[in-house]
Amino acid sequence: MPARILDGRALAAELRLGLAERSTVLRARGIIPTLAVVMVGDDAESASYLRRIKRVATDAGVEIVEHLLPADVGESAVRLRLATLGGDPTTHGVLLQQPLPRSLSIRAIADAVPARKDVDGANPANQGRLAFGTGAAFVPATPAAVLLLLERSDKWPLRGREAAVVGRSSVVGLPVTLLLIGHDATVTVLHRSTVELAAHLERAEVVVVAAGKPGLVTGAMLRPGATVIDVGTTLVDGKTVGDVEFASAQEVAAEITPVPGGVGPVTNIALMQNVLTAAERQSASSHAI
Ligand code: ADP
């Protein structure tokens, strides 16, 4: 029997309703949940990402304010803009759009993203909080989406499950690993120096793939009945494809996310959830003063 599709669009549509309710409550108190998106230079992919999240934001009752800085801007100017947004009471979330121009290093700037407004979990302090398992951190949107999908899978709860994560990037693989461990799964992390993917994947009941390599994981590598979450998105001949060879994987897995229509739509919702959480926390703390 082919795998059940874990439908990200359907899940996003369901979660959107909850977002609209939360923003209605905030707006009734005079708070307009607002996300500042800082973009450095014109980047076609970033612009199309912005168009997509604007649509989701409108449905969620979240305001998006763009801050476009010139491509040749220096590190200190970016840090200053982030700090200004940190002090602005009408801004609740701050997202520094990546990739940055080559002249700038995210490692030299990420700590300037105001921690209380860091809705994509970019600040190393929030990454550290995630590693410590302390609840107050913002979980980056893509890893949060992976967990939202797994919550709907037949492997939930994850306690005692064998899980494999392919990829160890600071934006996806590593935070996903921390979240899975936090949910008591036994996690194996595979990366570009792993000699034989299949030898590890054959044990895994839950497989999360975030390597940016189309077709890297095939059905033959999977444990029968596995749940497969494909985070990869690569443009091939104008089409977005994942890291998992869908046709063969679908014959072996019990559940699988499609690309597109899997992790992507849920990621946008997860970002808006973080913006609303930020607005709720900030309004709660300003009332307490
Ligand atoms: P993303 O942002 O989607 O996480 P990155 O390009 O930042 O993607 O990181 C790619 C990750 O995928 C790296 O951690 C790398 O080690 C892993 N990776 C790349 N190629 C392979 C491969 N052939 N097998 C296993 N892991 C791989």
XYZ file of all heavy atoms in Angstrom, residues 3-51:
364
model
N 2.358 4.939 0.737
C 2.341 5.710 1.987
C 1.213 6.731 2.019
O 0.816 7.270 0.986
C 3.683 6.423 2.142
N 0.765 6.991 3.232
C -0.171 8.101 3.445
C 0.587 9.408 3.241
O 1.739 9.533 3.700
C -0.692 8.014 4.885
C -1.682 9.093 5.266
C -2.294 8.755 6.624
N -1.464 9.207 7.739
C -1.619 10.393 8.348
N -2.528 11.244 7.921
N -0.840 10.726 9.351
N -0.038 10.358 2.594
C 0.607 11.654 2.386
C 0.376 12.532 3.612
O -0.765 12.717 4.043
C 0.006 12.368 1.137
C 0.146 11.501 -0.119
C 0.634 13.743 0.946
C 1.567 11.319 -0.585
N 1.461 13.044 4.180
C 1.326 14.047 5.248
C 1.198 15.398 4.542
O 2.183 15.944 4.046
C 2.543 14.016 6.177
C 2.667 12.795 7.099
C 4.013 12.815 7.822
C 1.526 12.741 8.114
N -0.024 15.878 4.490
C -0.375 17.008 3.625
C -0.139 18.336 4.358
O -0.918 18.719 5.235
C -1.851 16.841 3.218
C -2.319 17.932 2.276
O -1.618 18.967 2.132
O -3.397 17.762 1.682
N 0.932 19.030 3.972
C 1.285 20.282 4.633
C 0.286 21.399 4.358
O 0.044 22.238 5.228
N -0.287 21.392 3.176
C -1.248 22.469 2.863
C -2.496 22.341 3.729
O -3.018 23.333 4.236
C -1.639 22.429 1.377
C -0.494 22.828 0.476
C -0.979 23.255 -0.909
N 0.189 23.612 -1.712
C 0.716 22.832 -2.652
N 0.146 21.682 -2.954
N 1.783 23.217 -3.305
N -2.954 21.097 3.904
C -4.152 20.880 4.729
C -3.864 21.259 6.183
O -4.685 21.923 6.832
C -4.595 19.419 4.636
N -2.683 20.859 6.678
C -2.337 21.193 8.061
C -2.211 22.708 8.232
O -2.691 23.282 9.218
C -1.023 20.497 8.454
C -0.477 20.800 9.842
C -1.512 20.508 10.927
C 0.799 19.994 10.108
N -1.614 23.364 7.235
C -1.468 24.824 7.301
C -2.843 25.494 7.341
O -3.057 26.435 8.119
C -0.655 25.329 6.107
N -3.769 24.998 6.551
C -5.114 25.590 6.517
C -5.789 25.448 7.881
O -6.457 26.370 8.365
C -5.954 24.924 5.427
N -5.564 24.294 8.519
C -6.164 24.045 9.835
C -5.547 24.981 10.896
O -6.258 25.600 11.685
C -5.888 22.579 10.175
C -6.433 22.086 11.482
C -5.811 20.718 11.812
O -5.647 19.871 10.896
O -5.473 20.520 12.993
N -4.232 25.097 10.861
C -3.546 25.905 11.874
C -3.797 27.401 11.694
O -3.733 28.177 12.644
C -2.037 25.628 11.841
C -1.621 24.206 12.219
C -0.129 23.995 11.949
C -1.929 23.922 13.695
N -4.071 27.798 10.450
C -4.311 29.211 10.147
C -5.472 29.772 10.972
O -5.462 30.923 11.388
C -4.632 29.329 8.649
C -4.412 30.688 8.068
C -4.576 30.638 6.566
N -3.479 29.954 5.916
C -3.603 29.104 4.894
N -4.777 28.838 4.384
N -2.547 28.543 4.383
N -6.483 28.929 11.220
C -7.661 29.386 11.962
C -7.263 29.830 13.371
O -7.707 30.870 13.846
C -8.701 28.268 12.051
C -9.198 27.729 10.703
C -10.127 26.540 10.915
C -9.906 28.836 9.928
N -6.396 29.047 13.998
C -5.945 29.374 15.354
C -5.160 30.675 15.377
O -5.260 31.465 16.319
N -4.389 30.912 14.314
C -3.599 32.148 14.237
C -4.506 33.361 14.180
O -4.288 34.361 14.872
C -2.728 32.149 12.976
C -1.640 31.098 12.851
C -0.862 31.313 11.566
C -0.698 31.185 14.042
N -5.529 33.272 13.335
C -6.446 34.402 13.166
C -7.123 34.721 14.496
O -7.288 35.892 14.863
C -7.474 34.089 12.079
N -7.475 33.669 15.259
C -8.112 33.901 16.565
C -7.171 34.650 17.511
O -7.582 35.584 18.193
C -8.476 32.561 17.225
C -9.803 32.018 16.765
C -10.015 30.589 17.241
O -9.489 30.226 18.322
O -10.699 29.843 16.519
N -5.910 34.221 17.533
C -4.949 34.873 18.442
C -4.725 36.329 18.054
O -4.626 37.208 18.920
C -3.619 34.118 18.436
C -3.715 32.783 19.151
C -2.488 31.937 18.906
N -1.293 32.472 19.547
C -0.071 31.943 19.384
N 0.099 30.885 18.603
N 0.960 32.470 19.997
N -4.669 36.617 16.749
C -4.429 38.017 16.385
C -5.674 38.858 16.648
O -5.562 40.044 16.984
C -3.935 38.154 14.943
O -4.916 37.788 14.057
N -6.846 38.254 16.551
C -8.063 39.002 16.872
C -8.051 39.435 18.345
O -8.387 40.577 18.667
C -9.319 38.133 16.585
O -9.267 37.736 15.226
C -10.604 38.905 16.835
N -7.622 38.522 19.202
C -7.551 38.850 20.637
C -6.566 40.003 20.863
O -6.854 40.964 21.578
C -7.129 37.602 21.467
C -6.832 37.974 22.908
C -8.215 36.533 21.395
N -5.402 39.930 20.214
C -4.398 40.983 20.376
C -4.920 42.318 19.837
O -4.780 43.363 20.481
C -3.107 40.597 19.649
C -2.235 39.551 20.351
C -1.232 38.941 19.374
C -1.491 40.178 21.539
N -5.509 42.276 18.660
C -5.989 43.521 18.036
C -7.087 44.174 18.870
O -7.179 45.401 18.926
C -6.465 43.252 16.603
C -5.287 43.122 15.636
C -5.697 42.608 14.271
N -4.524 42.481 13.422
C -4.158 43.362 12.483
N -4.900 44.422 12.242
N -3.069 43.167 11.777
N -7.902 43.340 19.521
C -8.959 43.893 20.376
C -8.348 44.682 21.541
O -8.982 45.576 22.096
C -9.844 42.768 20.903
N -7.090 44.330 21.875
C -6.391 45.065 22.942
C -5.514 46.177 22.375
O -4.675 46.738 23.076
C -5.539 44.089 23.761
C -6.398 43.095 24.541
C -5.582 41.949 25.098
N -4.379 42.413 25.753
C -3.263 41.693 25.888
N -3.207 40.470 25.382
N -2.219 42.186 26.505
N -5.681 46.466 21.088
C -4.937 47.562 20.471
C -3.531 47.191 20.038
O -2.703 48.060 19.737
N -3.227 45.892 20.021
C -1.882 45.458 19.617
C -1.951 44.858 18.221
O -2.700 43.905 17.981
C -1.329 44.411 20.611
C -1.191 45.039 21.995
C -0.006 43.835 20.129
C -1.318 44.056 23.116
N -1.196 45.442 17.303
C -1.154 44.905 15.940
C 0.114 44.083 15.806
O 1.218 44.626 15.739
C -1.182 46.047 14.905
C -2.481 46.837 15.053
C -1.044 45.488 13.480
C -2.532 48.115 14.280
N -0.035 42.741 15.804
C 1.166 41.900 15.740
C 1.965 42.200 14.477
O 1.436 42.131 13.372
C 0.629 40.462 15.737
C -0.848 40.550 15.634
C -1.267 41.954 15.844
N 3.226 42.584 14.647
C 4.010 43.091 13.529
C 5.361 42.405 13.427
O 6.088 42.280 14.415
C 4.209 44.622 13.687
O 2.918 45.239 13.712
C 5.023 45.207 12.535
N 5.659 41.960 12.209
C 6.942 41.323 11.907
C 7.752 42.241 11.001
O 7.283 42.648 9.939
C 6.699 39.990 11.181
C 7.930 39.297 10.580
C 8.887 38.832 11.671
C 7.513 38.107 9.705
N 8.964 42.584 11.438
C 9.879 43.346 10.584
C 10.783 42.359 9.855
O 11.389 41.484 10.486
C 10.719 44.287 11.439
N 10.822 42.480 8.531
C 11.716 41.619 7.751
C 12.847 42.488 7.222
O 12.615 43.431 6.464
C 10.978 40.945 6.575
C 11.933 40.053 5.793
C 9.793 40.127 7.084
N 14.066 42.200 7.679
C 15.224 42.975 7.242
C 15.882 42.227 6.086
O 16.300 41.078 6.228
C 16.225 43.165 8.399
C 17.461 43.923 7.927
C 15.551 43.899 9.563
N 15.930 42.881 4.917
C 16.550 42.269 3.740
C 17.718 43.131 3.308
O 17.600 44.349 3.243
C 15.541 42.179 2.590
C 14.403 41.234 2.905
S 13.140 41.192 1.639
C 14.022 40.654 0.249
N 18.837 42.500 3.032
C 20.006 43.245 2.583
C 20.219 42.947 1.103
O 20.495 41.811 0.729
C 21.265 42.880 3.391
C 22.432 43.773 2.980
C 21.006 42.996 4.894
N 20.060 43.968 0.283
C 20.231 43.791 -1.156
C 19.026 43.121 -1.789
O 18.178 42.545 -1.101
N 18.955 43.218 -3.107
C 17.847 42.612 -3.843
C 18.211 41.176 -4.178
O 19.210 40.921 -4.818
C 17.604 43.378 -5.155
C 16.669 44.542 -4.928
O 15.733 44.371 -4.141
O 16.902 45.608 -5.538
N 17.390 40.260 -3.726
C 17.644 38.862 -4.021
C 16.320 38.288 -4.512
O 15.295 38.390 -3.836
C 18.134 38.157 -2.740
C 18.322 36.669 -2.930
O 19.350 36.287 -3.477
O 17.425 35.903 -2.537
N 16.319 37.714 -5.705
C 15.062 37.269 -6.328
C 14.352 36.248 -5.443
O 13.131 36.311 -5.249
C 15.341 36.680 -7.702
N 15.129 35.322 -4.872
C 14.493 34.268 -4.066
C 13.899 34.839 -2.776
O 12.813 34.443 -2.359
C 15.505 33.176 -3.761
C 14.860 31.800 -3.770
C 15.891 30.712 -3.941
O 16.510 30.632 -5.019
O 16.072 29.970 -2.977
N 14.635 35.793 -2.178
C 14.119 36.425 -0.961
C 12.839 37.194 -1.250
O 11.903 37.196 -0.448
C 15.148 37.385 -0.371
O 16.273 36.689 0.080
N 12.797 37.846 -2.419
C 11.610 38.621 -2.773
C 10.404 37.696 -2.942
O 9.293 38.024 -2.505
C 11.864 39.419 -4.052
N 10.618 36.536 -3.535
C 9.476 35.645 -3.735
C 9.058 35.013 -2.398
O 7.874 34.788 -2.148
C 9.765 34.602 -4.822
O 10.258 33.420 -4.277
N 10.036 34.779 -1.516
C 9.710 34.292 -0.164
C 8.850 35.321 0.567
O 7.852 34.980 1.201
C 11.005 34.029 0.614
C 10.818 33.763 2.086
C 10.270 32.564 2.524
C 11.167 34.717 3.039
C 10.088 32.315 3.878
C 10.989 34.477 4.387
C 10.445 33.276 4.804
O 10.266 33.045 6.135
N 9.236 36.583 0.416
C 8.498 37.654 1.085
C 7.049 37.720 0.586
O 6.121 37.887 1.371
C 9.219 38.982 0.834
C 8.811 40.136 1.722
C 9.084 39.839 3.183
C 9.567 41.402 1.322
N 6.873 37.562 -0.710
C 5.502 37.555 -1.250
C 4.683 36.426 -0.625
O 3.526 36.604 -0.272
C 5.523 37.390 -2.782
C 5.732 38.696 -3.537
C 5.361 38.540 -5.001
N 6.172 37.541 -5.696
C 7.392 37.761 -6.182
N 7.927 38.965 -6.076
N 8.057 36.818 -6.802
